[in-house]
Amino acid sequence: MATSKLSTRQRLSWAIITILVLLYALFPVAAILATSFKTPADLGNQSFLPNTWTWANYEMILTGSAQGLFLSALRNSIGITLISTAIAVVLATLAAYAIARLNFPGKRLILGAALAVSIFPVISVVTPLFNLWRTIGLYDTWLGLIIPYLSLTLPISIWTLSAFFRQIPWELEQAAQVDGATQWQAFRKAIIPLALPGVFTTAIIAFFIAWND
């Protein structure tokens, strides 16, 4: 089979395109970072870099008057996001494997419903959810945020992982079972290691969905 190789000019062109895309994507991050070193008087300045560099903003949120508010909010955000991501990935892995490997009625309906839920506007259920959580005592708790985040991360996680599982050859699992492995052992020792890139990708997606919200 003939293999095509990129010429030096083509490689240079792709390198330039890649650098331009990275600069475009990272420019807002660089702007935020530069703004964090500006003084309050500098914030209205149109210049990209601050006229006077200062650590005062970081001192305020890490050791100053805003420490209690910022650090507690950061701790809550990281904890809730990590727990939501871990639960979503575990449940989505099991559900996606069943959808990809097992034949049962309504499988396509489940995938369609998962995709529909993932694009549903969450803001429309905030008010009834707020009233429900106050009634049952979940308001202002970690669990009260983890449950709604699972409704955001689970559907897209199931959809993504089911596509990865369908790409793994069925014969590998059958070979493991022929060698004496149970279905669970074949899933854990043969399928999961091959699906790790998909699981990792899904975890990143679920993490950013929960974090951004």
Side-chain angles (χ1 to χ4, degrees), residues 37-123:
F37 290 102
K38 290 183 177 181
T39 62
D42 246 355
L43 291 179
N45 201 337
Q46 296 296 328
S47 62
F48 180 79
L49 295 175
N51 294 329
T52 304
W53 293 79
T54 178
W55 289 93
N57 298 319
Y58 290 97
E59 292 175 356
M60 182 186 299
I61 63 175
L62 295 178
T63 60
S65 58
Q67 176 186 6
L69 178 62
F70 175 78
L71 293 182
S72 63
L74 182 64
R75 181 178 62 251
N76 292 339
S77 296
I78 293 175
I80 292 170
T81 301
L82 289 177
I83 294 174
S84 301
T85 301
I87 296 175
V89 169
V90 171
L91 295 180
T93 300
L94 299 175
Y97 173 78
I99 291 173
R101 289 295 194 233
L102 305 179
N103 291 320
F104 56 89
K107 183 165 67 172
R108 293 183 180 275
L109 180 62
I110 293 175
L111 279 177
L115 186 61
V117 170
S118 65
I119 63 176
F120 189 80
V122 182
I123 194 66

Coordinates of all heavy atoms in Angstrom, one line a residue, residues 37-123:
F37 N -3.4 40.8 36.9 CA -2.2 41.5 37.5 C -2.4 43.1 37.4 O -1.5 43.8 37.7 CB -1.0 41.1 36.7 CG -0.5 39.7 37.0 CD1 -0.7 38.7 36.1 CD2 0.1 39.4 38.2 CE1 -0.3 37.5 36.3 CE2 0.6 38.1 38.5 CZ 0.3 37.1 37.5
K38 N -3.6 43.5 37.0 CA -3.8 45.0 36.9 C -4.3 45.5 38.2 O -5.0 44.8 39.0 CB -4.8 45.3 35.8 CG -4.3 45.0 34.4 CD -5.4 45.5 33.4 CE -4.8 45.3 31.9 NZ -5.8 45.7 30.9
T39 N -4.1 46.8 38.5 CA -4.6 47.5 39.6 C -6.1 47.9 39.3 O -6.4 47.9 38.1 CB -3.8 48.7 40.0 OG1 -3.8 49.6 38.9 CG2 -2.3 48.3 40.3
P40 N -6.9 48.2 40.3 CA -8.3 48.6 40.0 C -8.3 49.8 39.1 O -9.2 50.0 38.3 CB -8.8 49.0 41.4 CG -8.0 48.1 42.4 CD -6.7 48.0 41.8
A41 N -7.3 50.7 39.2 CA -7.3 51.9 38.4 C -7.0 51.6 36.9 O -7.3 52.3 36.0 CB -6.3 52.9 38.9
D42 N -6.3 50.4 36.7 CA -5.9 50.0 35.4 C -7.0 49.2 34.7 O -6.8 48.9 33.5 CB -4.7 49.1 35.6 CG -3.4 49.7 35.0 OD1 -3.6 50.8 34.4 OD2 -2.3 49.1 35.1
L43 N -8.0 48.8 35.3 CA -9.0 47.9 34.7 C -9.7 48.6 33.5 O -10.1 47.9 32.6 CB -10.1 47.5 35.7 CG -9.6 46.6 36.8 CD1 -10.7 46.2 37.8 CD2 -9.0 45.3 36.3
G44 N -9.9 49.9 33.5 CA -10.5 50.5 32.4 C -9.6 50.8 31.3 O -10.0 51.4 30.2
N45 N -8.3 50.5 31.5 CA -7.3 50.7 30.5 C -7.5 49.8 29.3 O -7.7 48.6 29.5 CB -5.9 50.6 31.1 CG -4.9 51.3 30.3 OD1 -5.0 51.5 29.1 ND2 -3.8 51.6 30.9
Q46 N -7.3 50.3 28.1 CA -7.5 49.4 26.9 C -6.3 48.6 26.6 O -6.3 47.7 25.7 CB -7.9 50.3 25.7 CG -9.2 51.1 25.8 CD -10.4 50.1 25.9 OE1 -10.4 49.1 25.3 NE2 -11.4 50.5 26.6
S47 N -5.2 48.9 27.2 CA -4.0 48.1 26.9 C -4.1 46.7 27.4 O -4.7 46.4 28.3 CB -2.7 48.8 27.6 OG -2.9 48.8 29.0
F48 N -3.4 45.8 26.6 CA -3.4 44.4 27.0 C -2.7 44.1 28.2 O -3.2 43.4 29.1 CB -2.8 43.5 25.8 CG -2.8 42.1 26.0 CD1 -4.0 41.3 25.9 CD2 -1.7 41.4 26.5 CE1 -4.0 39.9 26.1 CE2 -1.7 40.1 26.7 CZ -2.8 39.3 26.5
L49 N -1.5 44.6 28.4 CA -0.7 44.4 29.6 C -0.9 45.5 30.6 O -1.2 46.6 30.2 CB 0.8 44.3 29.2 CG 1.3 43.2 28.3 CD1 2.7 43.3 27.9 CD2 1.0 41.8 29.0
P50 N -0.9 45.2 31.8 CA -1.1 46.3 32.9 C 0.1 47.3 32.9 O 1.2 46.9 32.6 CB -1.1 45.5 34.2 CG -0.4 44.2 33.9 CD -0.6 43.9 32.4
N51 N -0.3 48.5 33.2 CA 0.8 49.6 33.3 C 1.6 49.3 34.5 O 2.8 49.6 34.5 CB 0.1 50.9 33.4 CG -0.6 51.3 32.0 OD1 -0.2 50.9 31.0 ND2 -1.7 52.1 32.1
T52 N 1.0 48.8 35.6 CA 1.7 48.5 36.8 C 1.3 47.1 37.3 O 0.1 46.8 37.5 CB 1.3 49.5 38.0 OG1 1.5 50.9 37.5 CG2 2.1 49.2 39.2
W53 N 2.3 46.2 37.3 CA 2.0 44.9 37.7 C 1.9 44.8 39.2 O 2.6 45.4 40.0 CB 3.2 44.0 37.3 CG 3.3 43.8 35.8 CD1 3.8 44.8 34.9 CD2 2.8 42.8 35.0 NE1 3.7 44.3 33.6 CE2 3.1 43.1 33.6 CE3 2.2 41.5 35.2 CZ2 2.8 42.2 32.6 CZ3 1.9 40.7 34.2 CH2 2.2 41.0 32.9
T54 N 0.9 44.0 39.7 CA 0.6 43.9 41.1 C 0.1 42.5 41.4 O -0.6 41.9 40.6 CB -0.4 44.9 41.6 OG1 -0.7 44.8 43.0 CG2 -1.7 44.8 40.8
W55 N 0.4 42.0 42.6 CA -0.1 40.8 43.2 C -1.3 41.0 44.1 O -1.7 40.1 44.8 CB 1.0 40.0 43.9 CG 2.1 39.5 43.0 CD1 3.3 40.1 42.6 CD2 2.1 38.2 42.4 NE1 4.0 39.3 41.8 CE2 3.3 38.1 41.6 CE3 1.2 37.1 42.3 CZ2 3.6 37.0 40.8 CZ3 1.5 36.0 41.5 CH2 2.7 35.9 40.8
A56 N -1.7 42.2 44.2 CA -2.8 42.5 45.2 C -4.0 41.7 45.0 O -4.7 41.3 46.0 CB -3.1 44.0 45.1
N57 N -4.4 41.4 43.8 CA -5.7 40.7 43.5 C -5.5 39.3 44.1 O -6.5 38.7 44.7 CB -6.0 40.6 42.1 CG -6.2 42.0 41.5 OD1 -6.9 42.9 42.1 ND2 -5.7 42.3 40.3
Y58 N -4.4 38.6 43.9 CA -4.1 37.3 44.4 C -4.0 37.3 45.9 O -4.5 36.3 46.6 CB -2.9 36.7 43.7 CG -3.0 36.4 42.3 CD1 -2.6 37.3 41.3 CD2 -3.6 35.2 41.9 CE1 -2.8 37.0 40.0 CE2 -3.8 34.9 40.5 CZ -3.4 35.8 39.6 OH -3.5 35.5 38.2
E59 N -3.4 38.3 46.4 CA -3.3 38.4 47.9 C -4.7 38.5 48.5 O -5.0 38.0 49.6 CB -2.4 39.6 48.3 CG -1.0 39.4 47.9 CD -0.1 40.6 48.2 OE1 -0.7 41.6 48.6 OE2 1.1 40.6 48.0
M60 N -5.6 39.2 47.9 CA -6.9 39.5 48.4 C -7.7 38.2 48.5 O -8.4 37.9 49.4 CB -7.7 40.5 47.5 CG -9.1 40.8 48.0 SD -10.0 41.9 46.9 CE -8.9 43.3 46.9
I61 N -7.6 37.3 47.4 CA -8.4 36.1 47.4 C -7.8 34.9 48.1 O -8.5 34.0 48.5 CB -8.8 35.7 45.9 CG1 -7.5 35.4 45.2 CG2 -9.6 36.8 45.2 CD1 -7.8 34.8 43.8
L62 N -6.5 35.0 48.3 CA -5.8 33.9 48.9 C -5.5 34.1 50.4 O -5.6 33.2 51.2 CB -4.5 33.6 48.2 CG -4.6 33.1 46.8 CD1 -3.3 32.9 46.1 CD2 -5.4 31.8 46.7
T63 N -5.2 35.3 50.8 CA -4.9 35.6 52.2 C -5.6 36.8 52.7 O -5.5 37.1 53.9 CB -3.3 35.9 52.3 OG1 -2.9 37.0 51.5 CG2 -2.5 34.6 51.9
G64 N -6.3 37.6 51.9 CA -6.9 38.8 52.3 C -8.4 38.7 52.7 O -8.9 37.6 53.1
S65 N -9.1 39.8 52.4 CA -10.5 39.9 52.9 C -11.4 38.9 52.1 O -12.5 38.5 52.7 CB -11.0 41.3 52.7 OG -10.9 41.7 51.4
A66 N -11.1 38.6 50.9 CA -11.9 37.7 50.1 C -11.6 36.2 50.2 O -12.1 35.4 49.5 CB -11.9 38.1 48.6
Q67 N -10.7 35.9 51.1 CA -10.2 34.5 51.3 C -11.3 33.6 51.6 O -11.4 32.5 50.9 CB -9.1 34.5 52.3 CG -8.6 33.0 52.6 CD -7.7 33.0 53.8 OE1 -7.5 34.0 54.5 NE2 -7.1 31.9 54.1
G68 N -12.1 33.9 52.6 CA -13.2 33.0 53.0 C -14.2 32.7 51.9 O -14.6 31.5 51.7
L69 N -14.6 33.7 51.1 CA -15.5 33.5 50.0 C -14.9 32.8 48.9 O -15.5 31.8 48.4 CB -16.0 34.9 49.6 CG -17.0 34.9 48.4 CD1 -18.3 34.2 48.8 CD2 -17.3 36.3 47.9
F70 N -13.7 33.1 48.4 CA -13.1 32.5 47.3 C -12.7 31.1 47.5 O -13.0 30.2 46.7 CB -11.9 33.3 46.8 CG -11.2 32.7 45.6 CD1 -11.7 32.8 44.3 CD2 -10.0 32.0 45.8 CE1 -11.0 32.2 43.3 CE2 -9.3 31.4 44.8 CZ -9.8 31.5 43.5
L71 N -12.0 30.8 48.6 CA -11.5 29.5 48.8 C -12.6 28.5 49.1 O -12.5 27.3 48.6 CB -10.5 29.5 50.0 CG -9.2 30.2 49.7 CD1 -8.2 30.1 50.9 CD2 -8.5 29.7 48.5
S72 N -13.6 28.9 49.8 CA -14.7 28.0 50.1 C -15.5 27.7 48.8 O -15.9 26.6 48.5 CB -15.7 28.6 51.1 OG -16.3 29.8 50.6
A73 N -15.7 28.7 47.9 CA -16.3 28.5 46.6 C -15.5 27.6 45.7 O -16.0 26.7 45.0 CB -16.6 29.9 45.9
L74 N -14.2 27.8 45.7 CA -13.3 27.0 44.9 C -13.3 25.5 45.4 O -13.4 24.6 44.6 CB -11.9 27.5 45.0 CG -10.8 26.8 44.2 CD1 -11.1 26.9 42.7 CD2 -9.4 27.3 44.4
R75 N -13.3 25.3 46.7 CA -13.4 24.0 47.3 C -14.7 23.3 46.9 O -14.7 22.1 46.5 CB -13.2 24.0 48.8 CG -13.2 22.7 49.5 CD -13.0 22.8 51.0 NE -14.1 23.5 51.6 CZ -13.9 24.8 52.1 NH1 -12.7 25.4 52.0 NH2 -14.9 25.4 52.7
N76 N -15.8 24.0 47.0 CA -17.1 23.4 46.7 C -17.1 23.1 45.2 O -17.6 22.0 44.8 CB -18.2 24.4 47.0 CG -18.4 24.6 48.5 OD1 -18.0 23.8 49.3 ND2 -19.0 25.7 48.9
S77 N -16.6 24.0 44.3 CA -16.7 23.7 42.9 C -15.9 22.5 42.5 O -16.3 21.7 41.7 CB -16.2 25.0 42.1 OG -17.0 26.1 42.4
I78 N -14.7 22.4 43.0 CA -13.8 21.3 42.7 C -14.4 20.0 43.2 O -14.5 19.0 42.5 CB -12.4 21.5 43.3 CG1 -11.7 22.7 42.5 CG2 -11.6 20.2 43.1 CD1 -10.4 23.0 43.1
G79 N -14.9 20.0 44.5 CA -15.4 18.8 45.1 C -16.7 18.3 44.4 O -16.8 17.1 44.0
I80 N -17.6 19.2 44.1 CA -18.9 18.8 43.5 C -18.6 18.3 42.0 O -19.2 17.3 41.6 CB -19.8 20.0 43.5 CG1 -20.3 20.3 44.9 CG2 -21.0 19.7 42.6 CD1 -21.0 21.6 45.1
T81 N -17.7 19.0 41.3 CA -17.4 18.6 40.0 C -16.8 17.3 39.9 O -17.1 16.4 39.0 CB -16.5 19.7 39.3 OG1 -17.2 21.0 39.3 CG2 -16.2 19.3 37.9
L82 N -15.8 17.0 40.7 CA -15.1 15.7 40.7 C -16.0 14.6 41.1 O -16.0 13.5 40.4 CB -13.9 15.7 41.7 CG -12.7 16.6 41.3 CD1 -11.7 16.6 42.3 CD2 -12.1 16.1 39.9
I83 N -16.9 14.8 42.1 CA -17.8 13.7 42.4 C -18.8 13.5 41.3 O -19.2 12.3 41.0 CB -18.5 14.1 43.8 CG1 -17.5 14.1 44.9 CG2 -19.7 13.1 44.1 CD1 -18.1 14.6 46.2
S84 N -19.4 14.5 40.8 CA -20.3 14.4 39.7 C -19.7 13.7 38.5 O -20.3 12.8 37.9 CB -20.8 15.8 39.2 OG -21.5 16.5 40.3
T85 N -18.5 14.0 38.2 CA -17.8 13.4 37.0 C -17.5 11.9 37.3 O -17.8 11.1 36.4 CB -16.4 14.1 36.8 OG1 -16.7 15.5 36.5 CG2 -15.7 13.5 35.6
A86 N -17.1 11.6 38.5 CA -16.8 10.2 38.8 C -18.1 9.3 38.7 O -18.1 8.2 38.1 CB -16.2 10.1 40.2
I87 N -19.1 9.8 39.3 CA -20.4 9.0 39.3 C -20.9 8.9 37.9 O -21.4 7.8 37.4 CB -21.4 9.7 40.2 CG1 -21.0 9.7 41.7 CG2 -22.8 9.0 40.1 CD1 -21.9 10.4 42.6
A88 N -20.9 10.0 37.1 CA -21.3 10.0 35.7 C -20.6 9.0 34.9 O -21.1 8.3 34.1 CB -21.3 11.4 35.1
V89 N -19.2 9.0 35.0 CA -18.4 8.1 34.2 C -18.7 6.6 34.5 O -18.8 5.8 33.6 CB -16.9 8.5 34.4 CG1 -16.0 7.4 33.8 CG2 -16.6 9.8 33.8
V90 N -18.8 6.3 35.8 CA -19.0 4.9 36.2 C -20.4 4.4 35.7 O -20.5 3.4 35.1 CB -18.9 4.8 37.8 CG1 -19.4 3.4 38.2 CG2 -17.5 5.0 38.2
L91 N -21.4 5.2 36.0 CA -22.8 4.8 35.5 C -22.9 4.8 34.0 O -23.5 3.9 33.4 CB -23.8 5.8 36.1 CG -24.0 5.8 37.6 CD1 -25.0 6.8 38.0 CD2 -24.3 4.4 38.1
A92 N -22.2 5.8 33.3 CA -22.3 5.8 31.9 C -21.5 4.7 31.2 O -21.9 4.1 30.2 CB -21.7 7.2 31.4
T93 N -20.4 4.2 31.9 CA -19.7 3.1 31.3 C -20.5 1.8 31.4 O -20.5 1.1 30.4 CB -18.4 2.9 32.2 OG1 -17.6 4.1 32.1 CG2 -17.6 1.7 31.7
L94 N -21.2 1.6 32.5 CA -22.0 0.4 32.6 C -23.2 0.5 31.6 O -23.5 -0.5 30.9 CB -22.5 0.2 34.0 CG -21.4 0.0 35.1 CD1 -22.0 0.0 36.4 CD2 -20.6 -1.2 34.8
A95 N -23.9 1.6 31.5 CA -25.0 1.8 30.7 C -24.6 1.7 29.2 O -25.3 1.1 28.4 CB -25.7 3.1 31.0
A96 N -23.5 2.4 28.8 CA -23.1 2.4 27.4 C -22.7 1.0 27.0 O -22.9 0.6 25.8 CB -21.9 3.3 27.2
Y97 N -22.0 0.2 27.9 CA -21.7 -1.2 27.5 C -22.9 -2.0 27.3 O -22.9 -2.8 26.3 CB -20.9 -1.8 28.7 CG -20.6 -3.3 28.5 CD1 -19.6 -3.7 27.6 CD2 -21.3 -4.2 29.2 CE1 -19.3 -5.0 27.5 CE2 -21.1 -5.6 29.0 CZ -20.1 -6.0 28.2 OH -19.8 -7.3 28.0
A98 N -23.9 -1.9 28.1 CA -25.2 -2.6 27.9 C -25.8 -2.2 26.6 O -26.3 -3.1 25.8 CB -26.1 -2.4 29.1
I99 N -25.8 -0.9 26.3 CA -26.4 -0.5 25.0 C -25.7 -1.0 23.8 O -26.2 -1.3 22.8 CB -26.5 1.1 25.0 CG1 -27.5 1.5 26.1 CG2 -26.9 1.6 23.7 CD1 -27.6 3.0 26.3
A100 N -24.3 -1.0 23.9 CA -23.5 -1.4 22.8 C -23.5 -2.9 22.5 O -23.4 -3.3 21.4 CB -22.1 -0.8 22.9
R101 N -23.6 -3.6 23.6 CA -23.3 -5.1 23.5 C -24.6 -5.9 23.6 O -24.7 -7.0 23.0 CB -22.4 -5.6 24.7 CG -21.0 -5.1 24.5 CD -20.4 -5.7 23.3 NE -18.9 -5.6 23.3 CZ -18.2 -5.1 22.3 NH1 -18.9 -4.7 21.2 NH2 -16.9 -5.0 22.3
L102 N -25.6 -5.4 24.3 CA -26.8 -6.3 24.5 C -28.0 -5.8 23.6 O -28.1 -4.6 23.2 CB -27.3 -6.1 26.0 CG -26.2 -6.5 27.0 CD1 -26.8 -6.3 28.4 CD2 -25.7 -7.9 26.8
N103 N -28.8 -6.8 23.2 CA -29.9 -6.5 22.3 C -31.2 -6.5 23.2 O -31.5 -7.6 23.8 CB -30.1 -7.5 21.2 CG -29.0 -7.4 20.2 OD1 -28.6 -6.3 19.8 ND2 -28.4 -8.5 19.7
F104 N -31.9 -5.4 23.3 CA -33.1 -5.3 24.1 C -34.0 -4.3 23.5 O -33.5 -3.3 22.9 CB -32.8 -5.0 25.6 CG -32.0 -3.7 25.8 CD1 -32.6 -2.5 26.0 CD2 -30.6 -3.8 25.8 CE1 -31.9 -1.4 26.2 CE2 -29.9 -2.6 26.0 CZ -30.5 -1.4 26.2
P105 N -35.3 -4.4 23.7 CA -36.2 -3.4 23.2 C -36.0 -2.0 23.7 O -35.7 -1.8 24.9 CB -37.6 -4.0 23.6 CG -37.4 -5.4 23.9 CD -36.0 -5.5 24.5
G106 N -36.1 -1.1 22.8 CA -36.0 0.3 23.3 C -34.6 0.9 23.3 O -34.4 2.0 23.9
K107 N -33.6 0.2 22.8 CA -32.2 0.6 22.9 C -32.0 1.9 22.1 O -31.4 2.9 22.6 CB -31.3 -0.5 22.3 CG -29.8 -0.1 22.5 CD -28.9 -1.3 22.2 CE -29.0 -1.8 20.8 NZ -28.0 -2.9 20.6
R108 N -32.6 2.0 20.9 CA -32.5 3.3 20.2 C -33.2 4.4 20.8 O -32.8 5.6 20.8 CB -33.0 3.0 18.7 CG -32.1 2.1 17.9 CD -32.6 2.0 16.5 NE -31.8 1.1 15.7 CZ -30.7 1.5 15.0 NH1 -30.3 2.7 15.1 NH2 -30.0 0.6 14.3
L109 N -34.3 4.1 21.5 CA -35.1 5.1 22.2 C -34.3 5.7 23.3 O -34.4 6.9 23.6 CB -36.4 4.5 22.7 CG -37.4 5.4 23.4 CD1 -37.8 6.6 22.5 CD2 -38.6 4.7 23.9
I110 N -33.6 4.8 24.0 CA -32.8 5.3 25.1 C -31.7 6.3 24.7 O -31.5 7.3 25.2 CB -32.1 4.1 25.9 CG1 -33.2 3.3 26.6 CG2 -31.1 4.6 26.9 CD1 -32.7 2.0 27.3
L111 N -31.0 5.9 23.6 CA -30.0 6.8 23.0 C -30.6 8.1 22.5 O -30.0 9.2 22.8 CB -29.2 6.1 21.9 CG -28.2 5.1 22.3 CD1 -27.6 4.4 21.0 CD2 -27.1 5.7 23.1
G112 N -31.7 8.0 21.9 CA -32.4 9.2 21.4 C -32.8 10.1 22.6 O -32.7 11.3 22.6
A113 N -33.3 9.5 23.7 CA -33.7 10.3 24.8 C -32.5 10.9 25.5 O -32.6 12.0 26.0 CB -34.5 9.4 25.8
A114 N -31.4 10.2 25.6 CA -30.2 10.7 26.2 C -29.7 11.9 25.4 O -29.3 12.9 26.0 CB -29.1 9.6 26.2
L115 N -29.8 11.9 24.1 CA -29.3 13.0 23.3 C -30.3 14.2 23.4 O -29.9 15.3 23.5 CB -29.3 12.6 21.8 CG -28.7 13.7 20.8 CD1 -27.3 14.0 21.2 CD2 -28.8 13.2 19.4
A116 N -31.6 13.9 23.5 CA -32.6 14.9 23.7 C -32.4 15.6 25.1 O -32.5 16.9 25.2 CB -34.0 14.4 23.6
V117 N -32.2 14.9 26.1 CA -32.0 15.4 27.4 C -30.7 16.3 27.5 O -30.7 17.4 28.2 CB -31.9 14.3 28.5 CG1 -31.5 14.9 29.9 CG2 -33.2 13.6 28.6
S118 N -29.7 15.9 26.8 CA -28.4 16.7 26.8 C -28.6 18.0 26.2 O -27.8 18.9 26.5 CB -27.3 15.9 26.1 OG -27.6 15.7 24.7
I119 N -29.5 18.2 25.3 CA -29.7 19.5 24.6 C -30.9 20.3 25.3 O -31.3 21.4 24.8 CB -29.9 19.4 23.1 CG1 -31.2 18.6 22.8 CG2 -28.7 18.8 22.5 CD1 -31.5 18.5 21.3
F120 N -31.5 19.7 26.3 CA -32.7 20.4 26.9 C -32.2 21.6 27.7 O -31.2 21.5 28.4 CB -33.3 19.4 27.9 CG -34.7 19.9 28.4 CD1 -35.8 19.8 27.7 CD2 -34.7 20.4 29.7 CE1 -37.0 20.3 28.2 CE2 -35.9 20.8 30.2 CZ -37.1 20.8 29.5
P121 N -32.9 22.7 27.6 CA -32.4 23.9 28.4 C -32.7 23.7 29.9 O -33.8 23.7 30.4 CB -33.3 25.0 27.8 CG -34.5 24.3 27.3 CD -34.0 23.0 26.8
V122 N -31.6 23.6 30.6 CA -31.6 23.4 32.0 C -32.2 24.5 32.8 O -32.9 24.3 33.8 CB -30.2 23.1 32.6 CG1 -30.2 22.7 34.1 CG2 -29.6 22.0 31.8
I123 N -32.1 25.7 32.3 CA -32.6 26.9 33.0 C -34.1 26.8 33.2 O -34.7 27.4 34.1 CB -32.3 28.2 32.2 CG1 -32.5 29.4 33.1 CG2 -33.0 28.3 30.9 CD1 -31.6 29.5 34.3

